[in-house]
């Protein structure tokens, strides 16, 4: 059995989007010839929500190593709150100890806490061990360079320069790349000629069916967020300026339907939940201002506070319709689509025309998936009216597509790349 050491700062019970790939893959690695151990940051050093139910999806025989991190209340005084930077030296010490005591075949960095990836170059030089980086998001990106200051993330000036310095350290020595987007791989290989020919694969997140069972088994733990006196349309996920084009397309069409005298549409209530990464109670609405601009704020509820993963799944299951807005960044891919598809609910999705999510959802058999440059008000309102009138049947998704994009199959694809890396095949 080959041995894989996974580096994922966030891990259950921490509820973080970037640990989902690892969490959903762990049950399937052994069947593909890989014994895994995971090095994580102890949850006491995280300021993200804790969801103990996430631990129910982790096999009991997987070895988990925990490292410390500098306290955030100390480092934030110097503007350094990132868990990657706070844990970097502890990671270095722990992984060095593991590599001295045991033979591993590969290190796999699967996280958006990218600064920890620079350790790959160090351990490769010191121990000769190859490493793979999972690019779930861009690391160093110019996306916000031409955006107004108000639309840029907090501490953008610092993070942009730090990423520009750290990314080449990690990338120039990498032995393999996994990404959720073809664009990310292309950009990196163009930026770093040294990795032009290393193994690379575009592998999305997968649909992990056991999660829905865990959610339904524990539904009594979660308050209901939706008002059943309305016909509810729900999106759970981050907001932000890059989502506003898709959201604006929906609200513009909805307003046009109301103005045309279509009173049946007044029964609709749109919920946008967990739109901010800010601590509970401190998030600023990013969707309601758009709704107000189009004059439909009375039909929109925005809850900026994030909710737990299984609370999310239950809320998606309890709604009438699901809405998925895509980013205006053409390189962005919405990995969140798989939990939505597991619910077997009608979906309305509006993406950038270049998003890979459009083709994936069409492969599943989702009918109302559009790009915001060509979708019409009639397209949207015809669907919304069918929902209000109860004429929209529940979807019957393509079983072959469901298997192709399952977490099990996505793990198979990861392991194929690992095998190529350690065998020296491109």
């Amino acid at each position: 059995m080959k041995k894989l050491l996974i580096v994922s700062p966030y891990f259950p019970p921490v509820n973080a989007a970037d640990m989902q790939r690892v969490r959903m893959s762990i049950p399937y690695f052994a069947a593909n010839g890989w014994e895994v151990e995971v090095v994580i940051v102890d949850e006491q050093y995280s300021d993200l929500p804790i969801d103990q139910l996430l631990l129910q999806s982790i096999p009991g025989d997987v070895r988990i190593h925990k490292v410390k991190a500098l306290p955030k209340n100390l480092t934030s005084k110097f503007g350094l709150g990132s868990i990657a930077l706070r844990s970097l030296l502890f990671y270095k010490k722990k992984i060095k100890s593991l590599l001295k005591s045991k033979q591993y075949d590969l290190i796999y960095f699967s996280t958006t806490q990218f600064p920890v990836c620079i350790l790959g170059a160090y351990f490769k030089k010191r121990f000769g061990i190859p490493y793979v980086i999972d690019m779930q998001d861009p690391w160093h990106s110019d996306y916000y360079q031409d955006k107004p200051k108000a639309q840029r993330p907090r501490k953008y000036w610092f993070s942009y320069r730090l990423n520009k310095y750290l990314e080449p350290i990690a990338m120039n020595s990498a032995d393999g790349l996994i990404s959720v987007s073809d664009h990310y791989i292309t950009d990196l290989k163009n930026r770093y000629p040294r990795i032009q020919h290393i193994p690379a694969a575009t592998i999305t997140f997968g649909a992990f069916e056991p999660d829905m069972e865990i959610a339904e088994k524990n539904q009594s733990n979660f308050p209901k967020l939706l008002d059943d006196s309305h016909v509810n349309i729900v999106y759970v996920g981050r907001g932000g300026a890059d989502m506003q084009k898709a959201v604006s397309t929906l609200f513009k069409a909805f307003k046009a339907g109301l103005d045309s005298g279509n009173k049946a549409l007044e029964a609709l209530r749109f919920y946008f939940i967990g739109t901010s990464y800010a601590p509970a109670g401190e998030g600023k609405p990013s969707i309601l201002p758009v709704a107000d601009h189009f004059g439909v704020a009375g039909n929109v509820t925005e809850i900026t506070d994030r909710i737990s993963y299984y609370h999310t799944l239950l809320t998606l299951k309890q709604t009438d319709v699901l809405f998925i807005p895509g980013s205006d960044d053409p390189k962005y891919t919405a990995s969140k689509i798989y939990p939505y598809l597991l619910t077997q609910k009608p979906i309305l999705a509006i993406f950038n025309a270049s998003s890979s999510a459009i083709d994936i959802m069409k492969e599943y058999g989702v009918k109302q998936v559009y790009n915001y440059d060509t979708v019409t008000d009639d397209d949207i309102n015809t669907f919304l009216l069918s929902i209000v009138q109860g004429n929209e049947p529940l979807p019957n998704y393509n079983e072959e597509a469901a298997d192709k994009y399952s977490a099990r199959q996505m793990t198979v694809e990861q392991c194929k790349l690992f095998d190529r890396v350690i065998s020296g095949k491109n």
Side-chain angles (χ1 to χ4, degrees):
M1 187 81 79
K2 294 155 287 190
K3 291 181 172 54
L4 178 68
L5 188 64
I6 301 177
V7 177
S8 178
Y10 291 127
F11 194 77
V14 177
N15 182 21
D18 70 341
M19 62 82 192
Q20 299 288 11
R21 162 109 70 194
V22 171
R23 181 183 72 85
M24 296 177 184
S25 300
I26 279 178
Y28 307 110
F29 278 125
N32 290 282
W34 286 87
E35 176 188 323
V36 301
E37 297 180 22
V38 191
V39 191
I40 70 174
V41 176
D42 192 308
E43 61 267 25
Q44 67 177 297
Y45 299 100
S46 170
D47 59 351
L48 294 184
I50 298 296
D51 186 351
Q52 296 293 340
L53 291 180
L54 287 165
L55 293 171
Q56 294 186 16
S57 64
I58 304 298
D61 59 349
V62 174
R63 192 170 182 189
I64 310 295
H65 307 277
K66 293 186 178 184
V67 302
K68 297 178 180 179
L70 295 172
K72 188 172 182 179
N73 59 5
L74 173 65
T75 61
S76 59
K77 294 177 182 178
F78 306 97
L80 300 175
S82 159
I83 199 168
L85 297 175
R86 292 190 288 122
S87 64
L88 193 61
L89 293 179
F90 296 98
Y91 257 119
K92 182 179 179 182
K93 181 180 178 181
K94 181 64 177 179
I95 295 176
K96 184 191 292 187
S97 172
L98 290 172
L99 295 180
K100 284 182 176 179
S101 63
K102 190 173 182 179
Q103 181 68 42
Y104 296 89
D105 296 281
L106 185 69
I107 299 177
Y108 181 32
F109 294 90
S110 184
T111 178
T112 56
Q113 298 301 311
F114 291 119
V116 299
C117 298
I118 65 171
L119 294 175
Y122 170 78
F123 291 123
K124 182 176 180 178
K125 184 176 181 180
R126 177 77 184 270
F127 295 95
I129 185 167
Y131 65 97
V132 171
I133 297 178
D134 175 15
M135 298 299 297
Q136 300 179 21
D137 282 328
W139 183 348
H140 174 58
S141 169
D142 291 328
Y143 175 78
Y144 288 102
Q145 282 293 88
D146 60 353
K147 301 293 187 293
K149 188 175 180 180
Q151 293 184 15
R152 294 178 176 179
R154 290 176 66 241
K155 303 176 184 174
Y156 174 74
W157 185 93
F158 174 77
S159 62
Y160 178 82
R161 284 154 182 80
L162 181 68
N163 294 341
K164 186 176 182 179
Y165 172 73
L166 294 183
E167 185 184 80
I169 296 175
M171 289 300 163
N172 276 320
S173 297
D175 298 279
L177 289 175
I178 287 174
S179 176
V180 296
S181 167
D182 291 336
H183 294 286
Y184 299 166
I185 292 174
T186 300
D187 285 352
L188 288 169
K189 289 197 169 187
N190 288 338
R191 195 178 300 160
Y192 305 107
R194 291 184 186 178
I195 63 170
Q196 189 67 238
H197 301 295
I198 66 172
T202 299
I203 304 172
T204 66
F205 283 27
F208 189 58
E209 291 191 3
D211 277 342
M212 196 58 73
E213 297 170 15
I214 294 172
E216 291 179 341
K217 210 167 48 173
N218 294 277
Q219 58 185 305
S220 61
N221 296 342
F222 304 110
K224 195 166 185 179
L225 301 177
L226 310 181
D227 183 348
D228 289 339
S229 66
H230 299 285
V231 177
N232 296 313
I233 299 181
V234 170
Y235 164 72
V236 183
R238 71 170 183 86
D242 64 318
M243 297 288 190
Q244 289 186 359
K245 194 162 185 179
V247 172
S248 294
T249 301
L250 171 65
F251 290 161
K252 180 177 77 69
F254 178 57
K255 176 62 172 172
L258 293 175
D259 288 347
S260 70
N262 207 330
K263 291 190 175 295
L265 294 177
E266 293 177 1
L268 291 171
R269 171 74 66 174
F270 299 89
Y271 285 85
F272 293 81
I273 301 170
T275 54
S276 173
Y277 288 121
E282 298 180 20
K284 295 182 179 179
S286 58
I287 305 299
L288 267 178
V290 183
D292 190 55
H293 172 77
F294 286 97
V296 297
N299 293 80
V300 176
T301 296
E302 180 175 7
I303 301 172
T304 58
D305 291 353
R306 300 180 75 76
I307 61 175
S308 74
Y309 180 70
Y310 292 106
H311 195 182
T312 293
L313 291 182
L314 274 176
T315 303
L316 297 180
K317 191 74 173 176
Q318 290 164 351
T319 190
D320 299 290
V321 185
L322 301 170
F323 174 56
I324 313 179
S327 170
D328 62 9
D329 182 352
K331 299 174 184 177
Y332 175 82
T333 180
S335 296
K336 69 175 75 70
I337 65 176
Y338 297 104
Y340 283 70
L341 291 163
L342 282 175
T343 66
Q344 298 286 319
K345 293 282 186 175
I347 292 174
L348 171 64
I350 303 175
F351 290 92
N352 184 296
S354 299
S355 174
S356 60
I358 292 178
D359 289 337
I360 292 171
M361 295 183 80
K362 285 184 175 178
E363 210 174 329
Y364 262 85
V366 178
K367 296 177 182 177
Q368 281 74 35
V369 53
Y370 303 105
N371 83 70
Y372 46 59
D373 292 321
T374 60
V375 65
T376 67
D377 292 350
D378 273 352
D379 289 332
I380 294 172
N381 283 321
T382 298
F383 172 68
L384 295 180
L385 193 59
S386 72
I387 294 295
V388 172
Q389 295 173 339
N391 296 328
E392 187 66 26
L394 291 176
N396 184 19
Y397 292 132
N398 183 333
E399 289 186 9
E400 288 185 9
D403 182 66
K404 177 180 176 181
Y405 294 106
S406 67
R408 180 193 57 77
Q409 188 58 37
M410 294 299 101
T411 308
V412 170
E413 299 306 318
Q414 290 171 78
C415 292
K416 286 180 181 177
L417 182 126
F418 299 157
D419 290 338
R420 287 165 58 198
V421 168
I422 65 172
S423 68
K425 295 179 181 178
N426 292 338

